[in-house]
Amino acid sequence: MPDAITAKTRIADLPGLNPRLVERLSAFELRTAGDLVRHFPMRHERRLAERTIAQTEKEVADEQAVVRVRGTVAAVKVRRGRGAVVEATLEDESGSARLMWFNAGWMRDKIHPGDTGVAEGKAKIRNGFLELGNPRWIPDRASDEAEPKAPKPPSAPAESMDRLRAVYPASEQLLSSEIELAVGKVLQPVCATIEDPLPSEFRQARGLIALAEAYRLYHDARDDEDVAAARKRLAYDELFLLQLGVMMRRAQLRSRTRAIPLKLEPTIDQHIRARIPFTLTAEQDRVIGEIAKDMGEPFAMNRLLQGDVGSGKTAVAVYAMLLAVAHGHQAALVAPTEILAEQHYAVLRNMLKGSQVRIAFVTGSNTGAERMERVAGLATGKFDIAIGTHALLESGIAFRSLAVAVIDEQHRFGVKQRAAIRQKGQGELPLVPHTLVMTATPIPRTLAITLYGDLDTSVLRGMPPGRTRVITRVVTPEKAPEVYAYLRTRLDRGEQAYVVVPAIEESDLGLKDVANHVRYLQEGPWKGIAISCLHGAMTREDREANMKVFRSGAVQALVATIIIEVGVDIPNASIMVVEHADRFGLAQLHQLRGRVGRGATPSLCVFLGDAVTTEGKDRLAAIGATDDGFEIAETDLRIRGPGEVFGSRQSGLPPFQVADLTRDAELLGQARQDAKEWIDRDPELAAAGVAALKHKLMLAYGKALGLGDVG
């Protein structure tokens, strides 16, 4: 065994841990002392010292506290039903308490009348009795080996003391108490070796404790103040480190990359506006001004364009692309799905009909000869604009002179995809394109700063003229016949409708599917109405054909899957029904609603859903309460949390362990400002004394953010 325990010490070399526990820790990816110290508690619970039942009845004011009562089991009964409930009566000299286990039929074999032991759990007073819900039962009899107890840390506080206890992410195979035992063996020696990357004056000015102390207190807090101080420092470090990487990336992009300056001249502006078949709004003009200013510089624009559904982002993107073409260069637009790419291609083709601008449509569905012709045309400059899916990012695609790249629905792409499109600018010239990333899914401010902090941001608010506000109704499924009957009256007046279902084919899940729902409507409430369908399993040709007849008005109703979430723009479609709305995410519901309200006819969106979970109910309540996408985005963040709204898979960034964007907005703002000032002073973190900080940054975010590799 090593003389001193360090972060690199293997858990297998620690004294006092049995091999089976070491094996379970290793399976949980806890293999070194450092792994243990970095395995933070998910919460801290107040753990009261052992008391009599009568004392506990008097003192149990804090229902979040864990209590301990010792006694003898007087009776056990099992209530059978949808979920077995095991109820035991525990008695001591002072009184009796109820122990309740819900959906835990296995407990009937673990506890019997006459058993003695300790019940440990959260308690409340119900009908005058002390009740512990789903407590841990620790029998006194030594012969019970069915549920071995974790060894108690030698340094653990005596049971006669109240204390705060760390509760760790664990599993059925590895208990939190076992992790606590292992952490207790390494915490002090490992903390003694921690080097703080932040200078003491810097920390003191921001009210941050030393890093070693933060680790120690987070695992072994005496009170809530200890937890708060430790959490603040650890959360700040996570936020600061990411913002440092984001700011370094911004600085590197600006200093190491060059782009073709695309100056906006009055004649070019006139020619572009002449191609857009409507007058741009004041909001669109403002955002175009921000973009044109960036694109006139010799370094690459990197801008995020946020706008609610239907706010007119496509026209702004077209303007940017045509500015590149006006200067004799190329532009590209990358969309996440073929149907969205098809929509952009159709819009641009109509807009540029009769002009000399040549457009290539590039997706994974292109045939061999077709693909070869388009790929060659982009490389030689035969095509001025490329519209396509992620196929445009493949290594075989090259451009003669790509000056502008637009990435639509940015939340479906990550950092690597943005880097890949920049590489496409390096054709004959060692330049990168100006990059505009767009999203119709408004991003909460904290997430925008976190995930897209390397981008400048433009926000497009309001709606273009001619758009109508959508009336939203959330109703339960049993009212579906009434809904379809009412909508039939509107279809009979010549309006068109979308019906969204969650499944393509029939399944055992009992969900509405495309084929059966088309049949139901044709044979029932919408008999005589021309109905078509759209889903992802169809070929591009079939999708285009069905969309064409729907757009022409020959078909009045379109039954579709979530595939129409983005990219479908049909002004006469003024009605939408979403079946099983509780199954969809809040952002998806808002995007779907955005498919209607695109013409002058008053529009209606009906969400049919019956949520059984709290989260599902919150989603339906939120979508019915507002049509403001930015407000919905903040609500979605509160309901699901940042990890679900924009997971590490989409962003390419590892998730936070301690920081929480729903509660740490102020800390994030401080971290962002600090990171900006630090990188302004030392863009490459090359100053003396910051080697540890730079090493930590590169280890955490170097690869994900492409630091040092921004060409």
Side-chain angles (χ1 to χ4, degrees):
M1 188 187 78
D3 293 334
I5 294 173
T6 69
K8 293 182 180 179
T9 300
R10 295 189 317 139
I11 291 175
D13 294 333
L14 297 173
L17 293 183
N18 69 60
R20 288 182 61 194
L21 176 54
V22 170
E23 189 178 320
R24 294 199 300 274
L25 289 166
S26 180
F28 213 64
E29 298 188 356
L30 299 172
R31 300 184 178 90
T32 68
D35 292 340
L36 283 170
V37 173
R38 287 187 293 269
H39 187 71
F40 293 124
M42 58 185 178
R43 69 177 188 275
H44 294 78
E45 62 183 21
R46 186 159 301 286
R47 197 178 188 82
L48 304 183
E50 192 174 301
R51 288 163 166 77
T52 68
I53 291 173
Q55 287 172 329
T56 306
E57 281 181 349
K58 291 176 182 176
E59 298 177 19
V60 64
D62 179 6
E63 291 187 6
Q64 296 306 308
V66 173
V67 304
R68 287 171 60 89
V69 290
R70 183 181 299 276
T72 301
V73 178
V76 177
K77 62 181 178 181
V78 180
R79 298 186 214 156
R80 288 178 171 80
R82 290 184 63 186
V85 177
V86 177
E87 177 183 338
T89 302
L90 187 71
E91 294 180 344
D92 68 6
E93 293 179 354
S94 70
S96 63
R98 272 199 297 255
L99 312 181
M100 305 288 290
W101 288 274
F102 303 93
N103 298 313
W106 51 270
M107 272 304 297
R108 75 187 69 154
D109 299 321
K110 300 286 186 182
I111 191 165
H112 308 89
D115 288 352
T116 61
V118 174
E120 181 181 278
K122 293 181 180 178
K124 57 186 164 188
I125 304 298
R126 186 194 292 273
N127 298 328
F129 282 91
L130 179 69
E131 183 179 295
L132 278 69
N134 293 317
R136 181 183 176 207
W137 173 245
I138 308 166
D140 282 342
R141 58 186 185 277
S143 61
D144 190 308
E145 299 296 337
E147 198 173 23
K149 292 183 285 184
K152 193 174 184 62
S155 59
E159 296 300 338
S160 60
M161 296 171 55
D162 292 353
R163 67 183 179 112
L164 210 58
R165 185 177 187 182
V167 180
Y168 293 91
S171 69
E172 289 185 14
Q173 290 73 38
L174 181 65
L175 303 177
S176 173
S177 57
E178 294 176 306
I179 298 172
E180 181 184 23
L181 164 71
V183 170
K185 289 185 174 297
V186 304
L187 186 59
Q188 295 293 355
V190 169
C191 286
T193 67
I194 291 175
E195 180 183 355
D196 201 318
L198 301 180
S200 58
E201 324 83 67
F202 182 92
R203 298 195 311 264
Q204 289 165 10
R206 290 153 184 79
L208 302 171
I209 62 175
L211 186 58
E213 183 71 353
Y215 274 100
R216 188 185 68 78
L217 291 180
Y218 210 49
H219 287 287
D220 190 21
R222 295 160 299 186
D223 50 37
D224 292 338
E225 288 72 23
D226 280 355
V227 174
R231 189 193 171 281
K232 180 181 178 182
R233 172 61 203 268
L234 296 171
Y236 176 86
D237 273 29
E238 289 183 337
L239 296 168
F240 176 66
L241 205 62
L242 176 56
Q243 290 306 306
L244 205 62
V246 162
M247 292 300 171
M248 179 183 275
R249 181 180 177 80
R250 281 175 67 110
Q252 288 179 349
L253 284 168
R254 200 171 182 88
S255 65
R256 298 184 187 180
T257 61
R258 289 291 175 266
I260 300 166
L262 305 171
K263 298 292 184 184
L264 180 59
E265 307 293 343
T267 52
I268 293 176
D269 178 67
Q270 290 168 10
H271 281 122
I272 294 175
R273 287 175 186 272
R275 281 289 166 187
I276 298 174
F278 49 80
T279 303
L280 295 171
T281 66
E283 275 286 285
Q284 288 171 320
D285 278 334
R286 176 184 60 77
V287 170
I288 284 171
E290 293 171 353
I291 291 169
K293 183 176 181 297
D294 284 358
M295 289 171 58
E297 302 292 341
F299 41 80
M301 172 184 75
N302 284 283
R303 186 168 285 276
L304 170 68
L305 174 57
Q306 286 197 74
D308 209 342
V309 287
S311 58
K313 295 177 301 301
T314 302
V316 173
V318 168
Y319 192 104
M321 290 191 292
L322 291 180
L323 182 54
V325 175
H327 282 272
H329 299 287
Q330 293 168 297
L333 189 153
V334 186
T337 65
E338 280 202 16
I339 195 166
L340 182 52
E342 289 160 6
Q343 177 74 22
H344 284 308
Y345 179 58
V347 168
L348 210 59
R349 193 173 50 188
N350 289 337
M351 212 177 271
L352 298 174
K353 193 178 291 181
S355 76
Q356 296 181 4
V357 179
R358 297 149 299 180
I359 310 170
F361 185 62
V362 181
T363 73
S365 300
N366 292 149
T367 61
E370 185 181 51
R371 178 180 170 81
M372 286 178 62
E373 184 262 338
R374 293 176 188 180
V375 168
L378 292 173
T380 60
K382 174 185 174 183
F383 294 110
D384 304 295
I385 294 175
I387 306 289
T389 60
H390 61 278
L392 277 173
L393 305 177
E394 294 171 1
S395 57
I397 304 287
F399 291 79
R400 184 187 66 81
S401 178
L402 182 63
V404 172
V406 179
I407 298 177
D408 198 10
E409 290 306 313
Q410 164 61 24
H411 68 287
R412 303 205 186 178
F413 295 97
V415 174
K416 291 178 182 176
Q417 284 77 20
R418 277 152 53 192
I421 196 67
R422 275 200 304 276
Q423 298 287 345
K424 301 298 180 182
Q426 299 183 350
E428 296 176 1
L429 299 170
L431 300 167
V432 299
H434 298 285
T435 304
L436 177 68
V437 296
M438 305 193 301
T439 178
T441 304
I443 305 166
R445 182 178 174 275
T446 52
L447 273 179
I449 290 173
T450 305
L451 299 179
Y452 309 118
D454 57 321
L455 305 175
D456 296 308
T457 302
S458 292
V459 177
L460 188 58
R461 294 190 179 273
M463 297 286 169
R467 294 281 168 86
T468 58
R469 189 161 189 171
V470 180
I471 296 169
T472 302
R473 295 287 181 265
V474 178
V475 300
T476 52
E478 59 265 22
K479 294 186 178 178
E482 297 173 42
V483 170
Y484 285 114
Y486 166 70
L487 296 181
R488 173 63 190 254
T489 65
R490 296 184 60 156
L491 292 173
D492 288 341
R493 295 202 299 261
E495 296 181 51
Q496 288 178 280
Y498 299 104
V499 180
V500 180
V501 296
I504 296 175
E505 297 177 342
E506 189 174 2
S507 72
D508 295 335
L509 297 175
L511 301 176
K512 302 284 173 64
D513 64 274
V514 173
N516 282 307
H517 207 58
V518 167
R519 192 177 305 114
Y520 159 73
L521 292 174
Q522 287 176 329
E523 295 174 358
W526 290 0
K527 190 173 184 178
I529 297 290
I531 303 173
S532 186
C533 64
L534 196 74
H535 56 76
M538 298 169 67
T539 65
R540 178 160 64 89
E541 290 73 20
D542 286 344
R543 287 201 308 268
E544 286 179 342
N546 285 10
M547 285 301 296
K548 186 175 181 180
V549 293
F550 185 57
R551 188 176 283 109
S552 72
V555 163
Q556 274 189 272
L558 188 70
V559 177
T561 60
I562 196 73
I563 194 171
I564 66 161
E565 176 187 359
V566 291
V568 177
D569 185 0
I570 299 175
N572 192 50
S574 54
I575 302 165
M576 173 172 283
V577 180
V578 180
E579 292 275 1
H580 300 288
D582 51 294
R583 292 259 178 171
F584 296 100
L586 186 50
Q588 284 181 316
L589 294 175
H590 182 60
Q591 286 288 330
L592 286 169
R593 179 170 55 186
R595 298 313 101 204
V596 293
R598 292 172 172 260
T601 306
S603 295
L604 172 66
C605 183
V606 181
F607 294 113
L608 290 167
D610 188 14
V612 294
T613 66
T614 301
E615 183 179 311
K617 290 174 182 175
D618 288 346
R619 284 200 304 270
L620 292 182
I623 198 69
T626 181
D627 59 2
D628 184 321
F630 290 91
E631 186 178 332
I632 283 172
E634 296 292 346
T635 302
D636 200 22
L637 179 64
R638 285 195 302 274
I639 293 173
R640 291 195 292 154
E644 294 296 323
V645 178
F646 282 81
S648 57
R649 182 178 63 82
Q650 286 86 358
S651 69
L653 302 173
F656 294 135
Q657 286 184 273
V658 180
D660 179 351
L661 297 182
T662 60
R663 61 184 282 196
D664 291 327
E666 188 176 335
L667 201 60
L668 173 60
Q670 177 69 63
R672 182 171 176 79
Q673 182 60 35
D674 291 342
K676 182 180 184 305
E677 292 174 2
W678 200 307
I679 293 299
D680 284 347
R681 291 193 310 268
D682 184 12
E684 296 295 331
L685 296 181
V690 296
L693 182 62
K694 186 171 184 178
H695 175 73
K696 198 173 179 181
L697 170 62
M698 291 303 177
L699 204 61
Y701 297 116
K703 185 177 180 181
L705 289 175
L707 298 175
D709 181 24
V710 296

